[in-house]
Amino acid sequence: MEFDQHLPIYMQIMHVIKNRIVSGQLRGGDKLPSVRDLAKEFKVNPNTIQRCYQELERENLVFTQRGLGTFVTEDVETIKNLKTGMAQELTQNYLEQMQRLGFTPQEIIKLISTRVNRRDDHD
Amino acid sequence: MEFDQHLPIYMQIMHVIKNRIVSGQLRGGDKLPSVRDLAKEFKVNPNTIQRCYQELERENLVFTQRGLGTFVTEDVETIKNLKTGMAQELTQNYLEQMQRLGFTPQEIIKLISTRVNRRDDHD
Amino acid sequence: MEFDQHLPIYMQIMHVIKNRIVSGQLRGGDKLPSVRDLAKEFKVNPNTIQRCYQELERENLVFTQRGLGTFVTEDVETIKNLKTGMAQELTQNYLEQMQRLGFTPQEIIKLISTRVNRRDDHD
Amino acid sequence: MEFDQHLPIYMQIMHVIKNRIVSGQLRGGDKLPSVRDLAKEFKVNPNTIQRCYQELERENLVFTQRGLGTFVTEDVETIKNLKTGMAQELTQNYLEQMQRLGFTPQEIIKLISTRVNRRDDHD
DNA sequence: GTGGTCTAGACCACA
DNA sequence: GTGGTCTAGACCACA
């Protein structure tokens, strides 16, 4: 068992940015905040943001233009893949944990249906 | 933004034990490992386990008998409530994260149905 | 027979603080001494005071604000309940011990009436 | 503040015996248990009982006859004084604690009357 | 051996 | 400075 498993900060920030991209807060072609600005927003060393942008670029989610900044990819397909990938990871984790609690697939789908419908009604 | 999600160790261990209870690995009346043994298993100070067991007792999930040990509650209702409570928390978190990714309730339920069914086929 | 009545220190200190609250030395909203200060006052380890404050919080007699301190509840009803609860415990113990000495209820009430009246005269 | 105020064991045992005398479990002239027997009953060193009997004799509550044992005084007056003395000590402590909680003499007598009467009804 | 309490002292987040 | 958690290690009562 490990109890200090928390992800490196740069990965946590990558995750936040991916969320913003997938949810449409950041759209294809949008400029990301400057390394310094984002470092301030997250109260984090600029190097950490730098690393974060590097990794995002490696995943083709952003690209940088010397002297201009870092931008969200305009490749719709990449973003779409990101979205489905993240959704599947979330869903897989969720299902695994529910089954570990002893819920059968049928029970899970029933439970989630009622909750989703309830949200439909109220929100 | 918060980058130190670090739940206290004693709570993480509480969570592990709750999982064991809910999943049936630990059944009503079963003896939990001794404070010292579990401390070794988790490579943690006995006081931390002590705190963990105390909190579990406060939640009526276990009871202790001086000089004998700590035991899982025999109250089926309490365990049942724990199970539904944990399931609802997992489900709520899952739904929130999915909606933050931009999935509508309909999309979520569709995605989860297909995955659950796939599991049905393969497992 | 039990000759080690030794109530845990943290409970004894809880009792002291409850007395201060009930008697009005500490009023709703008042800040309690810091964990470290009270530890010095009682010549006791800060952890012991920590435990004490935690239990008091669990009984809703105090609340803590991270980084600011621990404060007496402002809920008048809670304090009132505490007061009557403590009074009843004291009274019950007193009556039990008197009856163990062989005093009948009538004798007890007579004895206490005369003493209380004497106090009335002199104080 | 002192937190390990517990009375010496021999005094605690004196108190128990005084209770037995005052309540009539032990009557004037009755033989007390032998030092050894009482030591067993209280799981205590015989020396402790010896000390206890000595002090009780100093207070004229018991007398010893070489080779026969220790006996409760036959002086009715002494026992009566013991009884009233113990009752007054209990009562005084009770009243002090109640007043420290902020109860007025009138409130105390009212509270105790209702409790005593309730006992009258039910016991 | 079992849990319960306590000390001494560290490090943390929050303000 | 404030409370919160944790370690290392001690001693206790109960069985």
Side-chain angles (χ1 to χ4, degrees), chain A residues 10 21 24 32-34 39 46 48-49 80 84-86 102 108 113 118:
Chain A
Y10 81 90
I21 293 174
L32 295 177
S34 78
T48 305
I49 304 297
K80 205 173 128 198
T84 58
M86 290 177 78
I108 297 173
S113 300
R118 218 163 51 213

Side-chain angles (χ1 to χ4, degrees), chain A residues 53-100:
Chain A
Y53 281 8
Q54 258 172 28
E55 300 290 336
L56 287 171
E57 184 155 18
R58 195 162 317 188
E59 297 183 17
N60 291 318
L61 295 172
V62 306
F63 60 93
T64 64
Q65 288 191 283
R66 233 8 230 285
L68 287 179
T70 304
F71 301 85
V72 178
T73 180
E74 307 205 10
D75 184 327
V76 179
E77 202 58 29
T78 302
I79 295 181
K80 205 173 128 198
N81 287 342
L82 173 64
K83 180 169 170 173
T84 58
M86 290 177 78
Q88 291 195 340
E89 192 187 327
L90 278 176
T91 304
Q92 167 134 345
N93 284 343
Y94 169 68
L95 292 178
E96 277 173 5
Q97 290 181 81
M98 287 298 281
Q99 298 206 334
R100 212 173 300 140

Side-chain angles (χ1 to χ4, degrees), chain D residues 31-78:
Chain D
K31 186 177 175 305
L32 295 177
S34 78
V35 165
R36 280 161 205 221
D37 285 355
L38 202 56
K40 274 181 202 151
E41 181 186 344
F42 288 154
K43 288 174 189 162
V44 128
N45 191 293
N47 291 332
T48 305
I49 304 297
Q50 189 58 48
R51 172 81 187 271
C52 171
Y53 280 9
Q54 257 171 30
E55 299 290 335
L56 288 171
E57 184 156 17
R58 193 162 320 189
E59 297 184 16
N60 292 317
L61 295 171
V62 307
F63 60 95
T64 65
Q65 287 190 286
R66 241 353 239 287
L68 288 178
T70 304
F71 300 84
V72 177
T73 180
E74 308 205 11
D75 183 325
V76 179
E77 202 59 29
T78 302

Side-chain angles (χ1 to χ4, degrees), chain B residues 8-10 36 44-45 47-48 51 66-68:
Chain B
I9 296 175
Y10 77 91
R36 288 158 177 80
V44 125
N45 188 283
N47 281 332
T48 303
R51 173 83 186 266
R66 198 71 190 276
L68 288 178

Side-chain angles (χ1 to χ4, degrees), chain B residues 59-121:
Chain B
E59 297 184 16
N60 291 317
L61 296 173
V62 308
F63 61 95
T64 68
Q65 285 187 281
R66 198 71 190 276
L68 288 178
T70 303
F71 302 84
V72 178
T73 181
E74 311 211 8
D75 184 326
V76 179
E77 201 58 30
T78 302
I79 295 182
K80 207 173 125 198
N81 288 342
L82 173 65
K83 181 168 170 173
T84 58
M86 289 177 79
Q88 289 191 343
E89 194 187 325
L90 279 176
T91 304
Q92 167 134 345
N93 284 343
Y94 169 67
L95 292 178
E96 277 172 6
Q97 289 181 84
M98 288 298 279
Q99 298 203 336
R100 211 173 300 140
L101 284 191
F103 285 81
T104 68
Q106 286 77 9
E107 287 170 330
I108 296 172
I109 193 156
K110 201 164 127 200
L111 198 158
I112 203 149
S113 300
T114 61
R115 281 201 74 111
V116 163
N117 290 333
R118 214 162 57 212
R119 279 174 175 259
D120 262 0
D121 296 344

Side-chain angles (χ1 to χ4, degrees), chain B residues 10-25:
Chain B
Y10 77 91
M11 283 191 191
Q12 295 182 45
I13 297 178
M14 282 174 73
H15 200 262
V16 170
I17 292 174
K18 285 177 176 178
N19 259 287
R20 293 185 182 173
I21 292 175
V22 159
S23 69
Q25 289 172 56

